[in-house]
Amino acid sequence: AYSDAGASHVLALSGLHVGVIYGIFAFVFRKLLRRHRLRWLCDVLTVAALWLFAMLAGLPVSVVRAVAMCTLYVFARWVSDGSASSLHVLSLTALLMLLVRPLWLFDVGFQLSFMAMVAILCVEPYLEEFSRRHRLHPIWGYLVGLLCMSLAAQFGTAPLVLYHFGTFPCYFLLTNVFVVPSLSILLLLSLVWWVLLLIDAPWALSVGLLLQHLVECMNKVLEHIGTWPGAVLHVEGYGLGTMLFTYLFLLFAGLFAIKKWKRGALLALASLLGLLLTLLLKP
């Protein structure tokens, strides 16, 4: 049901979970350590908490990528007076991970995780800049930001998903507008419930029941979306060549649309022609 609705990333531990947990721990530690000179300690404690979470989760590739990237980003801010290039941090993370375990390059989780981040970092700023030209209410601005992030991530992962699984969820934008805020609330409640259990607080049972009810509601909504007509697009014969031509088309079309590179239009058309040929000439 989650896969059909385009929300399978919620079930797999990923950068979305790590980002939410990072925000929670960073907020808590900064409130506890308000002195400016102790900010470094706040960063150290936050990174340590993230690595503890990664180890408790079994060190899956997507979580290692996200936690390693957070660690390098914090270190980069220290050595560069508060500024750091996200693309440089992402590239260094990929290099270090592949040096440790080169076969991760062929892991589907590794590929999806990094391609999603590359697309988000490269495409989302331009999508958000386009949306900022129209002054929106903060609530609408938040929803537009979610749509931009989801759309950018799909640009990076859709060809890989079609290549590996042969399916594509058509309602992913609507699903993510609902799922991402829900996941943030669920993770926060889970941490609160865990702390209440540790201190044996009487509210633990109430929070646990609320958590269970919210999860059941999210499951029912996604099951319903997965049954809508045309929820899943099935594509046969989407091979390696088709995937490569799809990425080339997205790259050159993006360069033409964003950077106004005139040659990008011709290269995008050539890539589209190659994509169609690979689909027509498939065995």
Side-chain angles (χ1 to χ4, degrees), residues 22-35:
Y22 175 85
I24 293 172
F25 278 117
F27 175 80
V28 171
F29 288 136
R30 285 173 185 171
K31 288 297 182 181
L32 294 177
L33 305 171
R34 295 185 178 183
R35 295 182 181 179

Side-chain angles (χ1 to χ4, degrees), residues 7 27 32-33 35 37 64 69 85 90 108 118 136-137 148 155 164 169 174 186-187 225 232 249 257 259 265 281:
F27 175 80
L32 294 177
L33 305 171
R35 295 182 181 179
R37 61 183 179 181
V64 172
M69 190 174 176
S85 169
L90 182 65
V108 178
V118 168
L136 300 175
H137 189 273
C148 291
F155 280 145
H164 288 293
L174 176 63
L186 289 174
L187 283 175
I225 293 176
V232 182
F249 170 74
K259 298 295 185 180
L281 300 177

Side-chain angles (χ1 to χ4, degrees), residues 89-206:
V89 172
L90 182 65
S91 302
L92 182 58
T93 302
L95 176 62
L96 293 176
M97 288 180 65
L98 292 176
L99 285 175
V100 173
R101 189 170 297 180
L103 291 180
W104 265 343
L105 181 63
F106 305 100
D107 185 273
V108 178
F110 181 91
Q111 297 170 7
L112 291 173
S113 181
F114 276 93
M115 287 307 300
M117 281 303 303
V118 168
I120 289 173
L121 294 177
C122 293
V123 178
E124 187 189 12
Y126 296 99
L127 294 176
E128 288 190 348
E129 182 181 354
F130 177 78
S131 68
R132 284 197 204 101
R133 295 175 185 174
H134 307 83
R135 296 182 178 179
L136 300 175
H137 189 273
I139 296 178
W140 288 110
Y142 174 73
L143 293 177
V144 169
L146 284 180
L147 290 174
C148 291
M149 185 180 67
S150 300
L151 192 59
Q154 286 297 330
F155 280 145
T157 59
L160 274 170
V161 171
L162 288 171
Y163 172 67
H164 288 293
F165 308 109
T167 61
F168 181 77
C170 298
Y171 300 119
F172 69 91
L173 281 177
L174 176 63
T175 301
N176 279 277
V177 170
F178 166 72
V179 164
V180 174
S182 301
L183 178 66
S184 303
I185 296 172
L186 289 174
L187 283 175
L188 179 59
L189 278 178
S190 299
L191 288 174
V192 171
W193 179 61
W194 182 60
V195 172
L196 292 176
L197 284 177
L198 287 178
I199 63 176
D200 197 20
W203 297 347
L205 179 60
S206 299

